[in-house]
Amino acid sequence: MTCVALQLATTTHSHCVSLLLFVHICCFPRLSCCCWWWCRVVLKMQLQCLFVALCLSVCVMAGKYSRDVNEPKPSGSDGATVEFRIGKLNQVWEKAKRMKLSPVRQAELHSDLKIHEKDELQWKKIKMEGLDENGEKEAQLRRNFNVILAKYGMDGKRDTRPMESNSLKDHETKEGDVFDDPRLDKLWNKAQGSGKFSSEELLSLKREFQHHKDKLHEYNILMDTISRTEEIHKNVIAPLEGEAKEHMLHQKHTDLKHKMRDLNQGFERLRKLSHEGFTEDSEFREPRVIELWEAAKRANLTEDELDSLKEELHHFETKVEKHSHYQEQLELSHQKLQHVEAIGDKEHIKRNKDKYNSLAEKTREMGYKMKKHLQDLSNKIFREGLEHNEL
């Protein structure tokens, strides 16, 4: 558009000057040479002015309609750029930084908040389209947010949730107890003393035990959160009535039931692994990937679907391992930074701080991508399994 306008203006101006020049030469032939030179100078100067004016107008219009102007990055009251587009998530992040969480735990929180931000922004779009009439998705988001707060000790209460177990409650802590759960500690101690595992296999087994412990802890947090939410709903002035309330309560307890089933299946796998050891034909090493693969095999998928999923899970496992490596490097970088800060060399402090900040940002980014991929894979397995069960 701008090029067309410039060409049109240039052509029109040139024709006008040429016409004036022709008339002048016909009337005053002796002065033709001087006039010709003079007109060329004037024409050149005017064209330059015209070009500059058009360029300036284009720049102004481009600035007016640019994305940076119309969609600025979110900023706080002090004008500083903030991490998230949702206010309450920024408040949680700022509080977490004041709490001095460990670097790895802080990066994990950042990834969880990013996932929650994505889900909540999607929900707002759905709500505007009128697709969450009974508020089920909204209730789930609120529950997930409360779980995040409790998981990182930011729910305003001391974490007194016990590790639930079917074992006796008079379990005493011993030197070899590392998982705060009698059943897990008993299995772990037995596996360590069995002589069936190499040092590398023991590390893999310990990761699986730790993963199960984390899942058990999250289950207890979710159960506690749901119990408190139900207690609040009982005391509100206008509680949900009829089928909507029954549906939401049923959904909550269905989620708990599925998580408890997954926990039982996971513990049974650990028990079998501790007794029999790793087999040579084990498809995967990472606990989260193994869990997805076991769920896929139970989902009545076809052989082709399982083969396709297996390949995708191998890619995902690589991503998980890379993220774990970055977490280890982040922890080492933080320890080195603390050591340099204790010495007090400003040049070394700045260099190590820059390296640490860059590594922390990369770890947070990879953590988000890994958790989003995990979420997508879980939904895919559940959705395809559901379709096969309905057929």
Side-chain angles (χ1 to χ4, degrees):
M1 186 75 180
T2 305
C3 295
V4 173
L6 179 60
Q7 185 177 4
L8 182 61
T10 305
T11 305
T12 305
H13 190 271
S14 177
H15 287 333
C16 292
V17 173
S18 299
L19 182 60
L20 288 172
L21 182 61
F22 175 77
V23 172
H24 196 82
I25 290 173
C26 291
C27 298
F28 308 98
R30 292 184 179 181
L31 299 177
S32 59
C33 293
C34 295
C35 289
W36 174 254
W37 175 84
W38 176 79
C39 287
R40 284 183 63 189
V41 172
V42 172
L43 175 61
K44 185 176 180 181
M45 291 177 63
Q46 289 182 340
L47 283 176
Q48 287 176 344
C49 293
L50 181 62
F51 180 76
V52 171
L54 283 171
C55 288
L56 288 173
S57 65
V58 168
C59 292
V60 170
M61 294 297 287
K64 181 178 179 181
Y65 294 105
S66 67
R67 177 172 292 184
D68 291 339
V69 172
N70 290 283
E71 296 181 13
K73 292 182 179 180
S75 59
S77 55
D78 58 354
T81 302
V82 293
E83 288 287 329
F84 304 97
R85 287 178 284 176
I86 298 176
K88 65 180 180 182
L89 302 186
N90 284 308
Q91 292 174 3
V92 171
W93 180 243
E94 292 301 321
K95 182 179 179 180
K97 289 193 288 187
R98 293 194 298 271
M99 287 173 62
K100 303 294 184 183
L101 294 174
S102 71
V104 172
R105 194 143 175 82
Q106 192 178 89
E108 284 291 290
L109 170 62
H110 191 277
S111 302
D112 285 341
L113 291 176
K114 274 290 182 185
I115 291 290
H116 187 84
E117 179 184 52
K118 174 184 69 71
D119 292 341
E120 188 158 334
L121 291 174
Q122 285 178 349
W123 165 75
K124 285 182 178 180
K125 184 178 179 182
I126 290 172
K127 186 181 179 183
M128 289 179 65
E129 296 171 355
L131 299 178
D132 189 32
E133 294 181 357
N134 60 2
E136 181 182 333
K137 182 66 176 177
E138 182 181 9
Q140 184 182 6
L141 281 170
R142 192 183 301 114
R143 189 163 66 245
N144 291 346
F145 181 66
N146 289 332
V147 167
I148 290 174
L149 295 181
K151 180 180 175 181
Y152 294 94
M154 304 175 72
D155 57 347
K157 58 178 287 187
R158 186 180 177 183
D159 190 2
T160 56
R161 289 171 286 268
M163 288 292 186
E164 293 295 330
S165 173
N166 293 327
S167 304
L168 297 176
K169 297 294 181 181
D170 58 350
H171 171 68
E172 295 181 1
T173 304
K174 300 177 183 178
E175 187 177 348
D177 295 347
V178 293
F179 299 107
D180 301 321
D181 179 80
R183 295 198 304 169
L184 290 178
D185 288 326
K186 184 178 178 180
L187 272 180
W188 172 247
N189 292 330
K190 188 172 182 178
Q192 271 189 312
S194 66
K196 296 177 181 177
F197 300 94
S198 64
S199 299
E200 186 177 347
E201 287 175 334
L202 275 176
L203 286 175
S204 297
L205 184 63
K206 190 173 184 179
R207 281 203 305 269
E208 295 217 30
F209 271 75
Q210 184 62 47
H211 176 66
H212 187 83
K213 174 190 172 181
D214 293 341
K215 286 191 64 179
L216 186 57
H217 186 54
E218 289 182 13
Y219 172 81
N220 291 326
I221 290 173
L222 180 60
M223 186 167 61
D224 183 57
T225 302
I226 288 176
S227 299
R228 281 187 287 157
T229 304
E230 288 183 358
E231 192 64 32
I232 292 171
H233 279 313
K234 289 178 183 177
N235 298 324
V236 294
I237 299 174
L240 290 171
E241 297 295 340
E243 294 183 3
K245 181 177 179 180
E246 286 296 325
H247 177 74
M248 291 183 67
L249 290 176
H250 175 73
Q251 186 62 43
K252 290 177 185 177
H253 290 287
T254 300
D255 291 344
L256 280 175
K257 185 178 178 180
H258 287 164
K259 288 186 180 295
M260 176 53 74
R261 183 196 62 195
D262 291 342
L263 281 171
N264 289 334
Q265 290 170 344
F267 182 79
E268 191 59 30
R269 183 180 180 279
L270 286 177
R271 188 190 64 76
K272 183 179 179 182
L273 201 57
S274 301
H275 283 84
E276 301 177 4
F278 288 97
T279 58
E280 293 183 1
D281 60 344
S282 297
E283 292 287 350
F284 304 101
R285 299 175 301 278
E286 286 294 327
R288 277 169 288 197
V289 185
I290 293 170
E291 190 175 67
L292 287 171
W293 179 239
E294 295 294 327
K297 289 192 292 186
R298 294 193 301 266
N300 296 326
L301 302 182
T302 65
E303 287 296 324
D304 289 340
E305 287 172 334
L306 280 175
D307 288 340
S308 175
L309 184 63
K310 185 191 295 185
E311 184 177 351
E312 190 173 356
L313 287 174
H314 277 298
H315 290 301
F316 176 64
E317 186 171 55
T318 302
K319 190 179 293 185
V320 173
E321 290 173 342
K322 189 175 181 181
H323 177 240
S324 298
H325 172 73
Y326 268 84
Q327 285 181 319
E328 292 172 6
Q329 294 302 310
L330 179 63
E331 188 62 46
L332 290 173
S333 178
H334 183 251
Q335 292 173 7
K336 186 175 180 180
L337 177 61
Q338 287 180 316
H339 175 71
V340 172
E341 286 177 336
I343 297 175
D345 187 333
K346 289 185 178 180
E347 184 179 344
H348 280 75
I349 289 174
K350 185 181 183 307
R351 187 161 59 245
N352 281 274
K353 204 164 195 175
D354 290 343
K355 183 179 179 181
Y356 168 75
N357 289 335
S358 175
L359 199 55
E361 185 177 352
K362 185 67 175 177
T363 306
R364 292 196 296 263
E365 181 185 344
M366 290 185 65
Y368 167 73
K369 290 179 179 178
M370 187 269 292
K371 289 185 177 183
K372 184 179 181 300
H373 198 173
L374 175 64
Q375 189 182 59
D376 293 341
L377 285 169
S378 300
N379 292 337
K380 180 180 179 180
I381 292 170
F382 175 77
R383 186 173 59 252
E384 290 183 354
L386 192 64
E387 288 174 358
H388 281 281
N389 290 333
E390 288 176 350
L391 293 176

